[in-house]
Amino acid sequence: MDFTSLMESGKQTGDRSVSFHIPETWMQGRTTYGGLTSALCLKAALPTSGGRQIRSAQVAFVGPVSGDVECTATLLREGKNTVFTSVRMTGETGVAAEAIFAFGAHRESRLNFANLPAPDVSTPEETMSFFGDSNRRPAFTRNFNMRLAAGQPPMSGADKADMSLWMRHKDGAVAPSDISVLALADAPPPASMAMLTEPALISSMTWMAEFLTDDIQTDDGWFLARHIAEASKDGYNSQAMTLWNTRGEPIMIGRQTIAMFA
């Protein structure tokens, strides 16, 4: 099932509850791909926003989930300009994810800057596929085009963990939006895996994303993501990410905590 069909397949099960069935093609090992988990939670939260734009998402990946899930939104607070909404995703084994979304109305401001220059890399058309001809890849990655624009691939024994990739949905019906970008931005493997020389188990624990614009646009669906691992100790890894459109305009920044069994 492609991304558009999956998003449209939600069934209202309560005033603020929506159920989905997640197919095997969106799995990452024994659990659902984290970007899709986040996108489904945001889908459930949007009706509470009162038309305000998404400003930030904080997602905790509590437990593995597959198959049938339900996302229940709770309006925490609605003010003149902002809305805070929590979403709990549950599955057959209990709580799968907890998310808090902050929505905010657009306001004119004397401050308008973003000191986040995009890295100087080749265009998507000039960049080779991240996976090449390999069939050894998580199932969910087959829903995306991913091309390594800078840095080294996983298990290459690199001396640093700094990776830039061009990415887009394969589903040609996907228009750039807050939901589609949230689903896309988490797709790359942890940047620190480039420093390893053999496979290792990983598990995303938390993800925080901040949207930097109301106007999410790009050319031909492509976005450039840069992931940098800033610390790894005691089995846990912390990394930062930035997402730009094809014009080099920053769309999102984020942070992620990852459990690494290596």
Side-chain angles (χ1 to χ4, degrees), residues 69-191:
V69 300
E70 184 174 63
C71 298
T72 301
T74 300
L75 179 63
L76 301 178
R77 182 182 184 276
E78 181 173 10
K80 180 180 178 181
N81 294 303
T82 61
V83 168
F84 287 87
T85 300
S86 68
V87 176
R88 170 170 287 188
M89 175 186 280
T90 56
E92 298 173 358
T93 59
V95 178
E98 291 274 3
I100 293 181
F101 299 100
F103 302 92
H106 177 86
R107 293 196 306 272
E108 295 300 323
S109 173
R110 288 172 292 174
L111 298 178
N112 185 7
F113 66 91
N115 297 319
L116 296 164
D120 185 14
V121 297
S122 56
T123 66
E125 294 75 20
E126 298 170 331
T127 308
M128 297 293 291
S129 170
F130 180 72
F131 293 101
D133 297 327
S134 174
N135 288 319
R136 296 184 59 184
R137 55 192 292 188
F140 81 90
T141 63
R142 299 184 185 278
N143 295 289
F144 305 110
N145 290 127
M146 301 172 64
R147 300 181 180 182
L148 184 61
Q152 300 298 318
M155 285 85 73
S156 61
D159 60 357
K160 61 181 180 179
D162 186 344
M163 181 185 301
S164 296
L165 295 94
W166 285 108
M167 305 184 301
R168 68 177 176 183
H169 287 266
K170 281 187 177 179
D171 177 4
V174 174
S177 69
D178 44 14
I179 292 180
S180 68
V181 164
L182 194 62
L184 180 68
D186 189 39

